[in-house]
Amino acid sequence: MDSRGLRLPEPTLEPNDPAALGWRARDARPADRGSLVKVFNEAFHRHDEVSLLDWRYDRNPHGSAWTVVAADGADAPVGSYSFVPRRYVVNGAETLVMQASDAMVFPNWQRKGIFRGLDSILCERAAKAGISFGFAFCGRRSQKGFLDNGWLAIAKYRQWTRVLRVGAAAFEARRTDGRLRRALVPLEALRARSKDQALRAALEGFEDSPVERFDGAIARLPNPNYRIVGIRDAPYLDWRMLETPRRTHRPFLLRRRGEIVGFYDVECSPAGRGYLLDARGADLACERAALAGAIERLRAMGAGTVRRQSSRARSSMRTCATSASRRRPSGTSCRSSCGSSGATRPPRPPSIRKAGMSSTPTATPREWFSGPLVSLASAQ
């Protein structure tokens, strides 16, 4: 059951034929968590505990995750895939959507159709439950699997980097950009330093402070001017930033004349790699102040670089993909934080078409960007 009292169905799954590929699909069980964290750590090169999956799948205030696993002949999980409920505002109306998450499999079980099979099961379940749309953030390697299974690429993500000081973190940030970019790191640091005065100017009249718990003032911040935007209220931000077992988030509230006008969330690794994870402001000046505050905060924490991902139609870092929608509210389809209506889609798998997934084209992917897109990275 989600935070709005909507009961999410938990239908049983018909297992795949284990004779063909050696695995079958079934619902995840509480006893699977120990095995799933091993798959998670091997697939994503992590060293996390079971508590992380408990937090991700069970404690989300927007609803518990739907998780299916691929089990071998001994019924042991060898792969897993989840749909995580998220509350969004679509054309002014609140609705429940699904975020595809943690598509993972042991390396020796790859190329056995596990992602395609589990994705089709969860999409069919969402369609039967009346979920309007879903979305996913894909890396370069996982993008092909989503697109091959009928998802549609609707936006690309670019990773922005600001060099704060010359050092190992700065050279590591440019490791995959070629020798020339690495050689230009000192010049990049000098260029960034020339903008420090603009950062200080952006912070004039604002003050920030660490967050102990978010309160209702956050919910009163105006939403970005997009037709589709994720709800980030106090319970969600507390869960996302303050209750994670990793304990690496450092959220700060931004105030102007004593009034809360925004927030930002940063993280700094022991190696000096800083990340701007989230930021929001009541207006453009507050957005700039949030960016400036995050950069100055990471500098004080010893970061050598600051990295931030933002969606731009012309960028090339990450792709956001969406499933076909069913009974789209007001003619809209999926977008994770900006955009509007649907688009021409590749054919869905038969199970999805049978579940009534719509494929009526109404716009192109670029037209999902319906509102002014304020890039924090470009507001330096």
Side-chain angles (χ1 to χ4, degrees), residues 25-335:
R26 62 168 173 82
D27 285 304
R29 305 165 185 155
D32 292 330
R33 288 289 165 85
S35 299
L36 291 182
V37 78
K38 294 178 182 178
V39 182
F40 182 89
N41 287 334
E42 184 158 351
F44 301 117
H45 309 290
R46 306 289 306 188
H47 302 281
D48 288 301
E49 304 291 337
V50 173
S51 58
L52 180 75
L53 299 189
D54 294 340
W55 167 78
R56 289 169 74 92
Y57 299 156
D58 299 337
R59 300 174 190 164
N60 177 2
H62 292 183
S64 298
W66 298 358
T67 302
V68 290
V69 302
D72 62 14
D75 203 35
V78 297
S80 175
Y81 185 46
S82 298
F83 270 14
V84 178
R86 286 283 279 114
R87 286 164 48 208
Y88 266 65
V89 174
V90 180
N91 282 349
E94 184 176 322
T95 188
L96 190 69
V97 308
M98 287 292 178
Q99 178 176 353
S101 179
D102 295 349
M104 54 191 184
V105 65
F106 279 128
N108 59 319
W109 282 87
Q110 293 177 351
R111 301 185 182 279
K112 294 182 181 293
I114 290 177
F115 169 76
R116 179 182 290 272
L118 299 186
D119 180 63
S120 296
I121 288 169
L122 285 178
C123 284
E124 183 175 8
R125 173 184 291 191
K128 289 179 178 178
I131 304 296
S132 299
F133 57 82
F135 68 97
F137 296 96
C138 314
R140 292 175 180 173
R141 296 175 64 182
S142 60
Q143 174 182 332
K144 184 178 185 298
F146 279 96
L147 298 181
D148 286 349
N149 213 33
W151 291 62
L152 175 69
I154 60 175
K156 292 183 179 180
Y157 267 66
R158 177 175 178 178
Q159 186 163 254
W160 301 80
T161 301
R162 183 188 181 106
V163 177
L164 300 182
R165 55 183 174 84
V166 178
F171 287 108
E172 175 64 20
R174 295 302 184 198
R175 180 175 59 87
T176 60
D177 295 336
R179 294 181 180 179
L180 179 60
R181 289 299 300 270
R182 286 172 58 87
L184 292 177
V185 162
L187 182 61
E188 199 172 345
L190 183 63
R191 176 181 175 273
R193 197 174 303 124
S194 69
K195 297 184 178 293
D196 285 350
Q197 184 175 354
L199 285 179
R200 290 189 288 269
L203 280 170
E204 290 181 1
F206 295 90
E207 57 183 16
D208 56 9
S209 60
V211 177
E212 295 182 0
R213 301 293 289 184
F214 286 94
D215 59 28
I218 290 297
R220 292 191 290 271
L221 291 176
N223 282 326
N225 188 20
Y226 305 131
R227 294 185 187 176
I228 300 180
V229 61
I231 292 177
R232 291 181 290 177
D233 53 10
Y236 179 80
L237 293 177
D238 282 341
W239 169 76
R240 185 71 183 87
M241 300 177 185
L242 300 174
E243 298 171 7
T244 167
R246 287 177 178 165
R247 303 294 183 188
T248 55
H249 290 250
R250 296 293 181 268
F252 291 82
L253 288 176
L254 187 69
R255 289 182 171 87
R256 180 171 55 189
R257 296 186 291 276
E259 179 185 2
I260 295 176
V261 293
F263 69 88
Y264 63 84
D265 181 30
V266 296
E267 178 182 284
C268 186
S269 73
R273 293 188 291 271
Y275 300 92
L276 173 55
L277 303 175
D278 199 358
R280 185 172 170 185
D283 53 36
L284 182 58
C286 298
E287 295 268 1
R288 288 174 172 159
L291 171 66
I295 292 174
E296 291 302 303
R297 185 66 60 178
L298 285 168
R299 194 197 307 272
M301 293 167 67
T305 59
V306 179
R307 312 198 86 169
R308 166 67 171 168
Q309 290 177 353
S310 63
S311 64
R312 300 300 298 265
R314 63 176 180 270
S315 63
S316 59
M317 193 63 189
R318 286 178 181 260
T319 300
C320 180
T322 173
S323 67
S325 64
R326 178 175 185 259
R327 294 194 295 273
R328 293 187 297 271
S330 303
T332 64
S333 183
C334 169
R335 180 62 190 101

